[in-house]
Amino acid sequence: AKEEAKAAKDFLVSMKEERMSLEEQEVVAKRKAAEQLRPRVAAETIHQAEEAARRAENARHAELRRMEEQRARQRAMEKAWRDEERVRQREEVQARQLAEAIIQREAIRKAEREAAARAQREAEAAVQQARQQAEEDA
């Protein structure tokens, strides 16, 4: 019975050692699996980080393009406004010159009419004087 008890105790001890050995093997296996996964997870994380960096860079370039297009539109609008302003000023100058030319032409016509009227009166006065002179002579 003593031997049987010792054999049973030895059996329990060996089972306990075996169980601990299995647990240790499981821990080691989990550790190895984790170590194998770690580079893959790290690689995926690096890949995700690179992808995120690429997306951020693309977004930054898109924003820069958008800002440059906005500046180009702004410059185009400013140029169009300056061109319109130049045309408006040129039209004002032309309108002013045309008005001055019309005023000068009217002044010339008035002076011509006055000169013609004066010449007419002088001619009539000369004719009248010549008739009087002829009547006095006769």
Side-chain angles (χ1 to χ4, degrees), residues 96-107:
R96 204 171 18 256
Q97 290 171 342
L98 180 61
E100 289 171 3
I102 290 171
I103 290 169
Q104 287 176 347
R105 197 171 351 160
E106 288 301 314

Side-chain angles (χ1 to χ4, degrees), residues 33-47:
E35 286 172 2
Q36 288 176 352
L37 279 178
R38 206 170 291 135
R40 190 171 19 172
V41 169
E44 286 178 11
T45 304
I46 290 169
H47 176 71

Side-chain angles (χ1 to χ4, degrees), residues 69-119:
E69 289 168 359
Q70 179 66 30
R71 282 193 293 270
R73 278 195 297 275
Q74 184 68 30
R75 285 191 301 268
M77 287 171 47
E78 289 170 358
K79 182 186 182 308
W81 182 83
R82 285 192 305 272
D83 291 347
E84 287 176 12
E85 187 63 19
R86 247 184 254 118
V87 167
R88 188 186 60 73
Q89 289 176 353
R90 191 176 317 120
E91 288 173 349
E92 285 178 5
V93 167
Q94 290 172 346
R96 204 171 18 256
Q97 290 171 342
L98 180 61
E100 289 171 3
I102 290 171
I103 290 169
Q104 287 176 347
R105 197 171 351 160
E106 288 301 314
I108 291 170
R109 285 181 184 162
K110 182 179 178 186
E112 287 173 347
R113 282 193 305 271
E114 289 172 356
R118 191 171 40 254

Side-chain angles (χ1 to χ4, degrees), residues 14-30:
S14 72
M15 287 298 277
K16 188 176 181 184
E17 287 175 357
E18 195 175 308
R19 190 179 73 219
M20 286 180 74
S21 174
L22 286 173
E23 286 175 359
E24 287 174 2
Q25 287 176 3
E26 191 176 328
V27 167
V28 168
K30 284 181 180 177

